[in-house]
Amino acid sequence: MPASHPAGRTAAALALLAGTMGLAAPAGAQVDAQALRVRSLAASCAACHGTDGQAAAGGEMPRLAGLPADYFAAQMLAFRSGARPATVMHQISKGYSDEQVRALAGYFAARGGR
């Protein structure tokens, strides 16, 4: 596609932006990438537990925000093993590695003050 075509200009601009961002990436870019990965994992919880684990007050779904990290991780592992009764969490919890569960636990624990 020629560069004069709108889609070609957009692609060229995106390529230039990506290259520029790579040159200007701060030393903490790896930390930011990890935070983005964890936030992306947590986004899958939002459909039932609310954005950032802030479930609606009085609703049926438990609030995840502010749960102690150890408690959250233990519950996820109990869902995974079948030790804790659930409807869909048995299946959902099996989709996360132990590392991802720990990351989610820290993420939600840090959201208690909102």
Side-chain angles (χ1 to χ4, degrees):
M1 181 171 320
S4 61
H5 187 277
R9 285 193 302 264
T10 301
L14 288 173
L16 178 62
L17 179 61
T20 303
M21 289 176 67
L23 294 174
Q30 185 175 13
V31 172
D32 292 341
Q34 175 63 17
L36 183 58
R37 279 191 288 277
V38 174
R39 188 170 182 190
S40 295
L41 287 173
S44 65
C45 305
C48 297
H49 297 280
T51 302
D52 285 337
Q54 304 284 344
E60 292 184 30
M61 289 298 159
R63 176 186 171 108
L64 301 178
L67 286 178
D70 291 342
Y71 177 80
F72 177 93
Q75 297 314 301
M76 287 292 284
L77 297 177
F79 284 133
R80 187 190 309 165
S81 72
R84 180 172 176 181
T87 53
V88 299
M89 284 304 299
H90 294 117
Q91 294 302 315
I92 292 170
S93 63
K94 290 177 184 177
Y96 295 102
S97 69
D98 290 347
E99 179 183 347
Q100 290 171 325
V101 167
R102 286 190 300 273
L104 284 168
Y107 179 86
F108 287 121
R111 266 126 198 95
R114 287 183 162 188

